[in-house]
Amino acid sequence: THPMPPVPVAGPVWLFYNRASGPLAGRSGPLQIKVGTNRWEALDELDMTPAGEVLPRGGSADWYVVQMELPYELFQVDFVVQEAGPHGAVDNNRYNDYQLPVTGGPTETQLLDMRVAALQAQDAQRRSLLEAERMAMMAAMESMAAKVAEEARVAEARKIEAARRVEAQARAKAAAAATITVPTANELPGVWTWRPAPKAGEKSTLVYNKHGGRLGGSANGSLLVHLGFNTWATSLAQPIELGRVQNAQQQYSLPAGEWWGAAIDIPADARMVDFVISDRDKRTWDNNRGQDYHTAVAGAKTPEDVSEEIYAAMAAAGAQEDQERLDRKGMQAIKQLYRKAEARFKRLALRHQTLFTVPSRPAAGQQLELHYNPELTPLRGRPEIFVWGCWDRGSAQQRDKAFCMPLMPSRETGGLGFQTAVIDVPADVWGLDLTFTDSADGMSGFVDNNGGLDYHLAITKGGGDPPGGAAATLNVAHIAVEMAPIAKVGGMGDVVTALGRAVQDDGHRVEVIIPKFDTMNYEYIENIQHTDTFRYNNTEIKVWKGIVEDLPTTFLEPQNGFFWVGCIYGRNDDHTRFGFFCGAAVEYLSRLPNNERPQVIHCHDWPTAPVAWSDRRGMRAVFTIHNLSYGADLIARAMGACEVATTVSPTYASEIAGSGCIAPHLSKLHGIRNGIDADVWDPEGDGFLPMPYGQDTCTQGKEAARKLLRQKLNLADVNVPIVACVTRLVAQKGIHLIKHAAWRTVERGGQFVLLGSAPDQRVQGEFNQLKEQLQRQYHDRASLVFLYDEPLSHLIYAASDFFLVPSMFEPCGLTQMIAMAYGSVPVVRRTGGLADTVFDVDYDTQRASDVAMAPNGYVFESTDTAGLDSALNRALAAWFQDLENFRRLQASIMRQDWSWHSPALDYVELYHKSMRM
Ligand code: ADP
C-alpha cells in the first residue's frame, strides 16, 4: 500500500510495515516478519517492534519496524508478516508474498555463476591441501625406503637361516638316530679286525680272514667289502676290493690265516661302520648271518657339529640364490611401503570429500578449522548441521572437554559445499573423534557417524610430532583354529595371518592363539618353545610360543590329546575339541598380568565362536564370519554376545543381513573385504614365473607365461585369448557355469584352462567326462588339470587373459583379486565380495567411481548360462576387436590395490569401536 523505496544491497536495512492497512489490522498479537532471500532459498524469522517513536500512530497509521542485515549475494528478498504464535494470522499479500526490490546486486544468473566459481575455488583449495599432504606422505616414504628394505633383507636372511638350521638339525638327528639300534663290535677274533681302531675322519685298515668267516675256502680270488656308515644311513656306491696282506701275523700281530685287507676312509660324521664281505663275483657272502657287521667309530662328530657342517654346506650352495632372494625382498618391501602409503592416501582422499582440517595435521594446544561437506552423507540437504566432538577415542579423562557446535555454511557458495567450525584443541590430547547431526539436542534426527565408526583425526603433539603414541596402540589377540601357512584349510587361515600382520604393521600388538595340532607345518614356525603349563577343566595345558610369518604365536596343547588326531577338522567331536580350546584360550589370556592382557579378542567363524560368550573379564570380542554356511547356531550365539561383528565383504554383509542368525544383531555387523597377501601374489617378485613382470612389462611378462603354460598343458601356441579358472569344484563355485564357459570359450576361438580339485567323486566324474569330450573335439584348445598345485596356479594367473569366477555365492573370494594383480581380467557373477571388487567396463563406471575405483572386468547377474554368455561374449569380443586396448586394460588393473593395507585400518577402527561398546 506504500511505495517501497529501492533498498541498498548488503548491510543494514530498516523495513517498516503499516499494520493498520493490511489484514492484521485490529488484532493485537505481536508481529513477526518472515524474510526469505533469493526466492526463499534461506529464511529467517524476526520480531518486529512498534515504530511509534519514528512514525506517529493513529488513524490509518500503525507502523512496525525491523532491522535486518542483507547479504551481498542477493537478487531477491521475499517476506510475509505474521502474528507470533502458532495460530497467528498472516499477511502474505494475498498469497503473492511481498518482494523487496534490490539494487546493485547480481542477477540470478550472475549469482549462480558466482557460486559455481566459489565452489570450484573451494574445491581447488581443498585439492591443493590434499596434494600437499600427498607430497608429505611420499617424502616420508622416501626417507624410510632404504631402512625398510634393509630390515626386510635382514628378516628374510634370518628366516632362511632358521629354516636351514632346522633342516640341518633334522638331518643330523635322523642320521644319529639310525645308529642306535644295532650292537657293534670292534673285531671278531680270527675273522676280522681294524688296524688301527677306526676313528672318524681318518684312514683305517680293515683286515679279513678268508678262511675265518662264513666264506670259508669257497670264495674265488680276491674279496670285496661293501661299506656303509651309521647303520647304512649312507653307503658307498661301489664295493672296495681287498688285497692280500702277506705278512699279517708280523705286521698286525694276527693269528694264522689268509688275511685280506684295504685302507678305508672313515667320514668325519661316521659313528659306525657297517660292512659285509663277498667274493669278487658276489656269489658267496659273509653278512654275519643276516646281521651285517658293525663297528663303533671313535671320535665321531657330535650331531651338533654335523648339523653345523650340513648347514654350512647348504649355505654355500645357496649363496647366490640367497642374494637374489634378499634383493627381491628388499625391492618388494620398498614397493609395499609405497603401496601402503598410496592406500592410506586414497582413504584420506575419500574422506577429504566429506571432511578435512586446516592445518591438515592439527596440533595439540592450537586451533583447527574443521570443514565438513554433507553432500555424500546422510545429512545431505539438512538445513542445519551440528558437530559433536570428544577427544582421545572417548577416553574418560577427556570426557569433560566434549563439545557440540553448529557448523557455519559458506555464504559465497549459497550454503552449498563445505561448512566450517573452529575448534580449540586442548594441549594434552592425541586424537579427535567426531560425529555430525542435524539437531542440537543429541541424536534424535539424522546422523552421520561414518557408518558407525565415527570420524577420527590424529592430533600431533605440537611441533609436528607423529600422532598417536602409546595411547592409540592396541593389544589384540586372535583366537583361531586355522593359520596360514602352518595350519591352513581355507581362506580363514590366510585372513588370520595376513590381517594380523597388517595390524601389527600399523603399530599395534598382535598375537595369535591356536591349538598345537600334531599336523602343523612346523618348518614355518620360528623358535618354538615350551614356556608354561596351566590347568583348565582338570586338564593340563602346555603353552608353546613361536613366531609365524613375523607374528608372535601361542600354541595351546591340552594333554588330553584333543589335537593329536592327525587333522584339523573332520571328526565327529570337532565341536567338543574346539569348545574346549576356546575355554582354554580365554583362561590363558585371563591369567596374564593386567598390562599384558589384550583389550580385544578376535575370534573366527563357528570354531572359536564360544569365545564370544565365555567369561572374558572385560576383554572385548570381535567376531568374524568367514562363511555363514557352517555352524549357524554357534554363529547366532556369538553374534549376540560379541561387541562387534564383521564379515568378509560389504555385499556379503548385506546378503546375510536377513538371516535369522544375523538380523537381531545387524547393527553390530560390518562388511570389510578381505585382502590378498601382497608378498605372495606379486608378479614382479614371483619365482614361479618364467619372467617376473610389473605394470610396465606386463605384456612381455604375460607373453612369456602364456608360452610356458601352453607348452606345459599341450595347448596350441596361437594368438587367441586364454580364459582360466582356479577353484575348488564345489556347488558354491557355479559348477554348471564353469562347464558351460569351457565350451563357450573354445567355440568362440579361445583357449580354456581349469585348475581345480573336486572333493566330491560325482562332481569329479562329471569333469572327467567334460575333459574327455573337450579332448576329442578341441584337443589343443582346452586343458583341465585336477590337482591342487600352487606353482601352476601362479603361472595360470599370469598367463590368462580372462579369469572366470561364476560363483553362486562368494563371501569374499580371493581368486578374482589375485587375477587382477596379475593383469588377468575377471569375468564374475555379481555376488558377495565379487560385487565389491569387480566393476564392469561397460556398465559400472559410476558405481566404480563412487568408491574411487576404475572399471576392471566383466560382470553378470543371473545364475543361468545366458547370464554368463552375456559377459563372456563381451569379454572375448573386446579381446578380438581391439587387442591393443585390451592389453592396456590388463596393465591398468594390475595397479589396483587389493592388499590388506586398507582393510586392516578398518579393522583397527572396529577394534577401537569394540572398546567403546
Ligand atoms: P575358497 O576359500 O572358497 O576356496 P577363495 O577364492 O577365497 O575361495 O580362495 C581360493 C584360494 O585357493 C586361492 O588362493 C586359489 O589360488 C587357491 N586354489 C583353489 N584351488 C586351487 C588349486 N586347484 N590349485 C592351487 N590353488 C588353488
Side-chain angles (χ1 to χ4, degrees):
T1 52
H2 280 262
M4 281 191 262
V7 294
V9 168
V13 174
W14 283 265
L15 187 114
F16 293 87
Y17 172 75
N18 185 359
R19 181 174 194 154
S21 63
L24 303 177
R27 302 177 64 103
S28 59
L31 288 193
Q32 280 184 334
I33 182 167
K34 202 187 253 186
V35 193
T37 46
N38 296 337
R39 254 193 257 289
W40 295 107
E41 184 182 76
L43 68 83
D44 218 352
E45 277 182 354
L46 304 168
D47 292 330
M48 298 197 88
T49 48
E53 284 171 26
V54 193
L55 296 168
R57 201 168 160 212
S60 61
D62 183 9
W63 290 94
Y64 279 68
V65 66
V66 67
Q67 188 193 358
M68 51 194 184
E69 196 79 19
L70 291 182
Y72 173 73
E73 303 84 2
L74 191 66
F75 62 85
Q76 183 170 321
V77 181
D78 306 272
F79 67 91
V80 296
V81 180
Q82 62 191 27
E83 266 182 306
H87 305 294
V90 182
D91 175 0
N92 58 10
N93 194 17
R94 298 170 204 249
Y95 301 105
N96 293 320
D97 303 342
Y98 292 103
Q99 272 194 19
L100 218 54
V102 171
T103 62
T107 65
E108 184 169 6
T109 317
Q110 281 169 338
L111 181 69
L112 292 181
D113 287 347
M114 280 160 55
R115 284 182 182 173
V116 170
L119 272 173
Q120 281 168 348
Q122 198 184 62
D123 203 49
Q125 200 178 10
R126 180 183 73 79
R127 281 171 193 279
S128 74
L129 280 172
L130 191 60
E131 179 58 19
E133 194 59 17
R134 196 180 71 83
M135 301 297 277
M137 273 168 113
M138 288 303 155
M141 293 305 122
E142 229 152 84
S143 71
M144 284 163 69
K147 185 164 155 264
V148 165
E150 186 51 28
E151 279 170 5
R153 292 175 65 103
V154 169
E156 185 68 5
R158 205 188 65 223
K159 253 185 229 167
I160 296 175
E161 181 181 314
R164 274 207 186 116
R165 282 211 181 282
V166 170
E167 194 189 330
Q169 278 160 7
R171 277 208 237 158
K173 207 169 135 194
T179 64
I180 52 179
T181 49
V182 178
T184 59
N186 279 331
E187 62 173 2
L188 189 58
V191 181
W192 59 265
T193 187
W194 292 86
R195 289 293 186 274
K199 240 175 125 187
E202 293 183 11
K203 252 189 205 322
S204 178
T205 301
L206 172 67
V207 284
Y208 181 86
N209 181 358
K210 193 171 183 176
H211 298 294
R214 291 188 41 84
L215 292 178
S218 60
N220 268 335
S222 61
L223 301 179
L224 299 175
V225 58
H226 306 260
L227 275 167
F229 303 99
N230 299 337
T231 327
W232 301 109
T234 55
S235 55
L236 298 190
Q238 293 294 328
I240 293 172
E241 194 166 351
L242 300 185
R244 185 67 204 271
V245 185
Q246 290 302 347
N247 49 354
Q249 273 163 284
Q250 294 88 334
Q251 196 184 337
Y252 294 134
S253 43
L254 290 170
E258 188 186 322
W259 293 94
W260 295 68
I264 312 282
D265 284 313
I266 315 272
D269 65 342
R271 265 144 288 125
M272 186 192 295
V273 184
D274 320 295
F275 65 95
V276 296
I277 308 284
S278 74
D279 65 357
R280 201 185 50 206
D281 305 325
K282 302 183 202 166
R283 289 223 182 95
T284 21
W285 291 78
D286 178 0
N287 66 357
N288 191 22
R289 297 196 183 92
Q291 307 279 305
D292 307 340
Y293 292 111
H294 306 278
T295 301
V297 172
K301 295 189 174 163
T302 61
E304 286 72 28
D305 293 337
V306 176
S307 100
E308 199 55 41
E309 251 168 47
I310 298 174
Y311 166 77
M314 287 196 294
Q320 164 84 21
E321 223 171 89
D322 289 358
Q323 266 321 311
E324 285 164 17
R325 191 164 147 185
L326 297 189
D327 290 345
R328 212 160 51 220
K329 275 286 160 187
M331 295 288 291
Q332 265 188 327
I334 293 179
K335 191 164 91 181
Q336 285 314 322
L337 182 72
Y338 279 99
R339 292 215 157 179
K340 195 162 139 186
E342 277 168 32
R344 279 170 187 267
F345 177 73
K346 194 168 164 188
R347 292 170 72 87
L348 179 70
L350 267 176
R351 195 187 69 193
H352 224 258
Q353 298 175 6
T354 295
L355 179 68
F356 69 94
T357 61
V358 180
S360 294
R361 300 171 183 208
Q366 298 178 15
Q367 273 192 338
L368 75 84
E369 231 176 73
L370 182 73
H371 297 255
Y372 176 79
N373 183 353
E375 192 56 25
L376 302 171
T377 79
L379 296 180
R380 176 180 185 174
R382 309 311 296 164
E384 279 188 297
I385 295 179
F386 298 85
V387 55
W388 297 70
C390 62
W391 305 95
D392 297 355
R393 301 241 173 219
S395 98
Q397 291 103 294
Q398 307 292 358
R399 198 151 291 162
D400 54 328
K401 296 180 191 142
F403 60 88
C404 168
M405 60 172 86
L407 293 179
M408 303 309 278
S410 149
R411 261 188 19 202
E412 290 75 22
T413 64
L416 292 174
F418 281 84
Q419 310 191 9
T420 54
V422 174
I423 297 169
D424 288 313
V425 182
D428 58 345
V429 298
W430 47 263
L432 170 58
D433 318 302
L434 301 171
T435 53
F436 298 86
T437 65
D438 67 342
S439 68
D441 66 351
M443 303 293 174
S444 63
F446 284 69
V447 179
D448 171 16
N449 60 6
N450 192 21
L453 297 177
D454 302 344
Y455 294 95
H456 303 283
L457 305 176
I459 304 288
T460 64
K461 288 187 222 130
D465 282 359
T473 304
L474 292 166
N475 184 351
V476 181
H478 289 266
I479 300 182
V481 303
E482 290 188 34
M483 181 185 194
I486 56 168
K488 174 178 163 167
V489 178
M492 188 212 298
D494 291 316
V495 173
V496 171
T497 306
L499 169 62
R501 231 177 36 197
V503 169
Q504 179 171 274
D505 266 2
D506 193 44
H508 306 281
R509 199 166 138 185
V510 180
E511 175 183 9
V512 180
I513 303 171
I514 67 169
K516 187 165 180 291
F517 296 108
D518 53 354
T519 50
M520 287 192 298
N521 294 325
Y522 280 87
E523 68 266 36
Y524 295 112
I525 309 175
E526 275 177 68
N527 232 338
I528 183 164
Q529 275 167 0
H530 176 208
T531 58
D532 191 13
T533 302
F534 67 96
R535 291 191 76 77
Y536 166 72
N537 240 356
N538 291 323
T539 305
E540 187 177 295
I541 316 276
K542 282 193 174 159
V543 181
W544 300 73
K545 299 230 172 227
I547 306 278
V548 177
E549 303 269 307
D550 300 333
L551 276 175
T553 306
T554 299
F555 306 88
L556 298 184
E557 183 182 37
Q559 298 302 296
N560 56 14
F562 268 5
F563 303 106
W564 303 334
V565 293
C567 60
I568 294 180
Y569 304 103
R571 288 169 45 106
N572 51 18
D573 62 350
D574 284 355
H575 284 68
T576 316
R577 295 188 302 127
F578 293 143
F580 181 89
F581 165 67
C582 291
V586 173
E587 172 68 20
Y588 160 76
L589 292 175
S590 305
R591 290 162 32 94
L592 294 175
N594 278 346
N595 58 346
E596 281 183 34
R597 197 177 304 147
Q599 298 140 311
V600 179
I601 310 179
H602 193 154
C603 44
H604 299 268
D605 262 0
W606 68 266
T608 53
V611 168
W613 64 82
S614 61
D615 175 12
R616 296 184 258 117
R617 318 211 186 153
M619 293 179 279
R620 306 300 195 215
V622 172
F623 175 60
T624 295
I625 301 169
H626 297 261
N627 192 335
L628 185 59
S629 317
Y630 307 100
D633 289 349
L634 297 177
I635 288 178
R637 198 165 162 202
M639 283 297 297
C642 68
E643 271 77 29
V644 167
T646 79
T647 188
V648 292
S649 71
T651 300
Y652 190 61
S654 56
E655 286 169 353
I656 62 176
S659 146
C661 318
I662 310 291
H665 315 287
L666 192 56
S667 63
K668 289 182 190 174
L669 184 68
H670 298 258
I672 302 177
R673 77 147 171 86
N674 281 341
I676 53 175
D677 189 328
D679 283 340
V680 177
W681 300 112
D682 174 12
E684 214 162 4
D686 193 327
F688 294 125
L689 305 187
M691 175 191 158
Y693 59 95
Q695 208 185 3
D696 301 336
T697 48
C698 170
T699 302
Q700 300 92 302
K702 288 183 76 74
E703 170 86 46
R706 278 198 296 276
K707 232 182 165 56
L708 181 60
L709 183 73
R710 284 175 169 144
Q711 237 170 44
K712 280 198 172 186
L713 301 185
N714 294 321
L715 293 171
D717 194 5
V718 286
N719 191 26
V720 298
I722 299 180
V723 177
C725 185
V726 176
T727 186
R728 292 183 294 128
L729 294 169
V730 295
Q732 175 196 338
K733 303 292 179 183
I735 287 175
H736 63 296
L737 296 181
I738 295 175
K739 287 192 217 157
H740 180 78
W743 287 113
R744 256 303 163 274
T745 302
V746 293
E747 283 160 12
R748 296 194 168 263
Q751 290 178 327
F752 187 82
V753 173
L754 169 73
L755 173 62
S757 43
D760 181 308
Q761 281 312 307
R762 195 181 48 78
V763 175
Q764 185 62 61
E766 289 171 28
F767 273 91
N768 290 340
Q769 218 176 4
L770 174 68
K771 182 172 175 160
E772 263 168 43
Q773 290 166 345
L774 284 167
Q775 194 66 31
R776 265 200 308 275
Q777 295 184 44
Y778 293 97
H779 73 279
D780 60 359
R781 301 294 154 140
S783 177
L784 312 190
V785 182
F786 302 123
L787 293 170
Y788 190 95
D789 185 339
E790 180 148 355
L792 181 58
S793 78
H794 285 243
L795 185 61
I796 292 175
Y797 287 117
S800 53
D801 295 296
F802 297 102
F803 195 90
L804 181 71
V805 195
S807 304
M808 295 299 99
F809 73 93
E810 194 62 79
C812 179
L814 300 177
T815 58
Q816 81 279 13
M817 295 190 276
I818 300 172
M820 288 189 268
Y822 282 71
S824 181
V825 176
V827 178
V828 308
R829 200 172 90 73
R830 198 191 306 283
T831 179
L834 298 169
D836 296 320
T837 51
V838 183
F839 304 91
D840 195 290
V841 295
D842 293 324
Y843 301 126
D844 286 336
T845 313
Q846 184 59 45
R847 203 170 67 85
S849 91
D850 285 350
V851 286
M853 294 290 310
N856 53 13
Y858 292 87
V859 182
F860 60 96
E861 301 270 352
S862 80
T863 55
D864 58 20
T865 54
L868 171 73
D869 282 343
S870 72
L872 188 58
N873 289 349
R874 284 187 295 122
L876 292 172
W879 192 99
F880 282 111
Q881 279 164 13
D882 190 347
L883 188 53
E884 213 171 285
N885 193 35
F886 181 76
R887 296 282 181 237
R888 271 198 298 277
L889 172 66
Q890 286 184 296
S892 78
I893 64 175
M894 287 182 67
R895 202 73 194 84
Q896 300 186 337
D897 174 33
W898 303 112
S899 71
W900 276 98
H901 298 321
S902 188
L905 300 179
D906 291 329
Y907 273 100
V908 169
E909 285 304 329
L910 287 178
Y911 294 150
H912 280 296
K913 178 179 179 182
S914 75
M915 298 205 293
R916 296 196 297 273
M917 306 301 280

